[in-house]
Amino acid sequence: MAQDNSSRVTEFILLGLSDRRELQLLFFTLILLAYTMVLLGNLLIIVTVRTDPKLSSPMYFLLCNLSFIDICYTSVTAPRVLVALLSGHKAITFEGCMAQLFFLHFVGSSEMFLLTVMAFDRYTAICRPLHYTAIMARRACWALVAACWAGGFIHSIVQTVLMLQLPFCGPNTIHSYFCDVPPVIRLACADTALTEWLMASNSGLISLGCFLVLVASYALILAKVRARVSQGNWKALSTCASHVMVITLFFMPCIFTYLRPAGTLPTSKYICVIYTILSPMMNPLIYTL
């Protein structure tokens, strides 16, 4: 354990996904492939939307922002875990750990808010088509995207400040491949019950609240078009189905991870792979179908 003269932990050890060398090579290959797909797929969407004048509608503007967020979100964890799997270097400084935690929640919560905005965009386009242009004007889209980033920043600042107030003077082994609230808070040398409930209320309620809003919006869309069988309505149904797949894949692991105090149940690091790597990889495929 790395400690300074005041017995404060100065670095953490990330145990990663496995200690077995053959599994480490397998995980390295799979994560490298997934990260490459995230980069190429989302960059392709961004370039296509930016260069094609026909793709200037609010839906594509929001999709372009989602692709940028996915690249940032996966880049918070994937490069470090790839280096650790290849080199075996598992240490991360205390400052680096807090920075990773901050950016993970900053970008992750911004994505949750943006997915909610995208659901509102689809609801407006399908259920209120005559008012769509006025409601989703370009200035309104920029304001909504800015609000998503601002909300993510505020959420992440709260999480990080709560973590920085805890003393870390004992174990420094994190049973995960990245720094996050549940595994790190267990290492604090203090009673963390209140802090755990505050963090669960923060991250967990944001995840659950956005998920319920998303489900409600798509339920309203389906109720609007269920009695119609035109080609346009089948397209609306397929759009909703693909979006529901994305939000389920992203939100359910987040709700399971954050909507409870950190010490109640162990958080599986393999569940974390779903929302940190797999979901951003699936977004370009599902949203562009």
Side-chain angles (χ1 to χ4, degrees):
M1 182 193 315
Q3 300 176 341
D4 59 18
N5 294 332
S6 61
S7 298
R8 181 177 176 86
V9 170
T10 60
E11 71 175 21
F12 295 104
I13 304 299
L14 298 169
L15 294 184
L17 293 169
S18 176
D19 291 330
R20 298 173 57 183
R21 187 58 184 170
E22 58 273 18
L23 287 180
Q24 289 179 351
L25 294 175
L26 174 62
F27 286 134
F28 175 83
T29 303
L30 294 177
I31 293 176
L32 178 61
L33 178 62
Y35 186 49
T36 303
M37 292 178 64
V38 169
L39 294 179
L40 294 180
N42 286 293
L43 283 174
L44 179 61
I45 290 176
I46 293 173
V47 171
T48 302
V49 172
R50 297 291 295 175
T51 56
D52 191 342
K54 297 179 181 179
L55 304 179
S56 58
S57 67
M59 180 181 70
Y60 293 108
F61 172 76
L62 297 174
L63 180 61
C64 186
N65 281 275
L66 178 66
S67 295
F68 176 73
I69 287 180
D70 277 335
I71 291 174
C72 297
Y73 185 57
T74 311
S75 297
V76 174
T77 58
R80 175 170 285 277
V81 71
L82 288 173
V83 171
L85 288 170
L86 193 63
S87 65
H89 181 68
K90 300 181 178 181
I92 182 173
T93 64
F94 178 85
E95 293 78 11
C97 184
M98 293 298 106
Q100 188 179 56
L101 187 149
F102 170 81
F103 285 108
L104 180 77
H105 283 266
F106 177 30
V107 184
S109 55
S110 298
E111 177 163 355
M112 290 183 183
F113 296 137
L114 183 61
L115 288 171
T116 308
V117 170
M118 293 179 73
F120 173 74
D121 170 73
R122 291 301 83 209
Y123 168 80
T124 307
I126 295 171
C127 299
R128 302 186 63 185
L130 298 180
H131 301 88
Y132 179 71
T133 304
I135 295 175
M136 297 301 295
R138 179 52 63 102
R139 181 175 296 180
C141 290
W142 277 107
L144 289 170
V145 171
C148 292
W149 284 103
F153 180 78
I154 294 172
H155 159 76
S156 187
I157 281 290
V158 172
Q159 294 288 87
T160 307
V161 168
L162 288 173
M163 291 296 296
L164 289 174
Q165 291 179 346
L166 296 175
F168 294 94
C169 54
N172 70 334
T173 301
I174 298 176
H175 294 271
S176 184
Y177 59 93
F178 66 99
C179 289
D180 197 8
V181 172
V184 174
I185 199 173
R186 296 192 186 101
L187 305 179
C189 318
D191 182 6
T192 60
L194 178 59
T195 305
E196 289 178 28
W197 280 107
L198 290 173
M199 290 185 171
S201 300
N202 189 0
S203 296
L205 290 182
I206 286 177
S207 303
L208 181 62
C210 290
F211 180 72
L212 292 178
V213 170
L214 287 164
V215 171
S217 66
Y218 288 121
L220 291 173
I221 292 173
L222 293 175
K224 182 75 173 180
V225 302
R226 66 186 174 88
R228 305 174 186 175
V229 199
S230 65
Q231 181 180 359
N233 289 324
W234 280 115
K235 182 179 180 181
L237 290 173
S238 65
T239 299
C240 290
S242 65
H243 290 197
V244 169
M245 289 174 61
V246 172
I247 65 174
T248 302
L249 189 66
F250 181 67
F251 278 91
M252 292 309 294
C254 291
I255 293 172
F256 172 79
T257 300
Y258 297 114
L259 194 60
R260 56 186 173 81
T264 55
L265 289 172
T267 302
S268 174
K269 52 192 172 186
Y270 301 109
I271 292 178
C272 299
V273 174
I274 298 176
Y275 63 85
T276 58
I277 296 176
L278 182 60
S279 179
M281 180 188 72
M282 295 298 295
N283 278 349
L285 299 176
I286 294 177
Y287 271 97
T288 54
L289 287 177

